[in-house]
Amino acid sequence: LNGHNGGIWQDIESYVRNIANTSDTTYVVSGCMVKDSQKFTTDSDGKKMTVPTAYYKAILRYSKSSTLSTWAAMAFYTEHKDYPASTPFKDIVMSVDALEEMTGHDFFVNLPEKLGDKRAAELEAEDPATNSVWGL
């Protein structure tokens, strides 16, 4: 759907690039969901491909300054459909934990080693809509 890829997903991609440009380190995991998809298309070689039902991004950023070092985590999840141009990101963001539960993947497996189990768990459970660092 061009309304998805050229709309909400393009907006998310631009947002993530801006985050990366204002962070010291940014990790991004992107993927799609195909479970229960009933739609198919063909690739450039004519091979049958499943059309995804949803797309996601998990983002982990680190910013340091002379007064504060900050880690923050967030995730986006969009169904493969057109979204109104005015869709606020607050409507499609979630904690990394919530996305991990939906997908069955552990996106930032080395985070506990870096920050400790307790801080890593807090970070992945954080609601990005309530963290001002994201500017949502």
Side-chain angles (χ1 to χ4, degrees):
L1 292 170
N2 192 41
H4 180 273
N5 296 344
I8 193 75
W9 196 253
Q10 183 177 3
D11 293 345
I12 292 169
E13 292 278 341
S14 294
Y15 175 79
V16 171
R17 275 191 297 277
N18 288 335
I19 291 296
N21 288 333
T22 60
S23 303
D24 293 298
T25 304
T26 308
Y27 301 96
V28 180
V29 180
S30 298
C32 65
M33 307 284 281
V34 295
K35 185 178 180 194
D36 299 326
S37 178
Q38 302 297 313
K39 295 181 181 178
F40 299 92
T41 190
T42 54
D43 66 13
S44 59
D45 292 328
K47 295 179 184 171
K48 184 177 175 181
M49 295 177 15
T50 303
V51 174
T53 56
Y55 296 88
Y56 60 83
K57 283 191 182 295
I59 303 147
L60 178 65
R61 76 180 294 246
Y62 174 73
S63 293
K64 63 183 173 182
S65 70
S66 59
T67 58
L68 181 67
S69 295
T70 305
W71 285 92
M74 72 180 310
F76 285 98
Y77 180 88
T78 62
E79 294 177 18
H80 192 189
K81 66 179 186 177
D82 290 342
Y83 283 79
S86 60
T87 302
F89 283 163
K90 283 186 176 186
D91 292 352
I92 56 172
V93 296
M94 62 180 58
S95 70
V96 170
D97 274 350
L99 183 61
E100 287 177 339
E101 189 170 318
M102 291 173 73
T103 64
H105 299 295
D106 184 0
F107 296 113
F108 305 116
V109 66
N110 294 325
L111 194 58
E113 183 180 319
K114 178 76 176 169
L115 301 180
D117 290 339
K118 183 176 186 266
R119 179 63 184 124
E122 290 170 351
L123 187 60
E124 290 189 349
E126 184 177 83
D127 177 0
T130 64
N131 186 338
S132 63
V133 78
W134 297 113
L136 301 177

